Amino acid sequence: MAAHSSLAATPLATPELLIKYASDEAVDGALRRLFTTYAAVGDVANATALTSAKFSKIWREAQLINSKGLTTVDLDLAFVRIAQAQAAKPPAAASSA
């Protein structure tokens, strides 16, 4: 049993520890998979855009709404600001393949 005593002293895997020790590539990949999963809900071919409802769903399912004062109105306003900023960007140059 003494061999397992070091495991008992190991801290639990909290989100803070995962972020601290994860590589940027791993975090980026996880966030991209999460985005793609939610974007494709109800539209399997869509992996590039979220609707306001899907954006809110991510936050709601992560139980982040109303924790620390975040409301659905805050999310709707943030979504509109992001969408407006994206619309204002010039279109990406088409790649020639």
Side-chain angles (χ1 to χ4, degrees):
M1 291 271 171
H4 297 288
S5 62
S6 63
L7 292 175
T10 304
L12 297 175
T14 63
E16 293 81 12
L17 284 175
L18 292 174
I19 290 170
K20 181 178 178 181
Y21 293 108
S23 68
D24 290 347
E25 294 83 20
V27 172
D28 183 61
L31 289 173
R32 288 180 187 278
R33 284 189 301 279
L34 179 69
F35 178 92
T36 302
T37 300
Y38 276 88
V41 170
D43 183 6
V44 186
N46 177 22
T48 60
L50 286 175
T51 63
S52 177
K54 291 176 183 179
F55 181 72
S56 293
K57 183 179 177 82
I58 293 172
W59 292 85
R60 187 174 49 256
E61 290 185 356
Q63 299 177 353
L64 296 172
I65 294 177
N66 292 327
S67 66
K68 311 256 183 194
L70 182 66
T71 67
T72 55
V73 173
D74 296 326
L75 290 175
D76 288 340
L77 291 172
F79 183 85
V80 169
R81 286 186 199 125
I82 293 167
Q84 288 173 341
Q86 290 296 320
K89 283 185 178 180
S95 62
S96 54

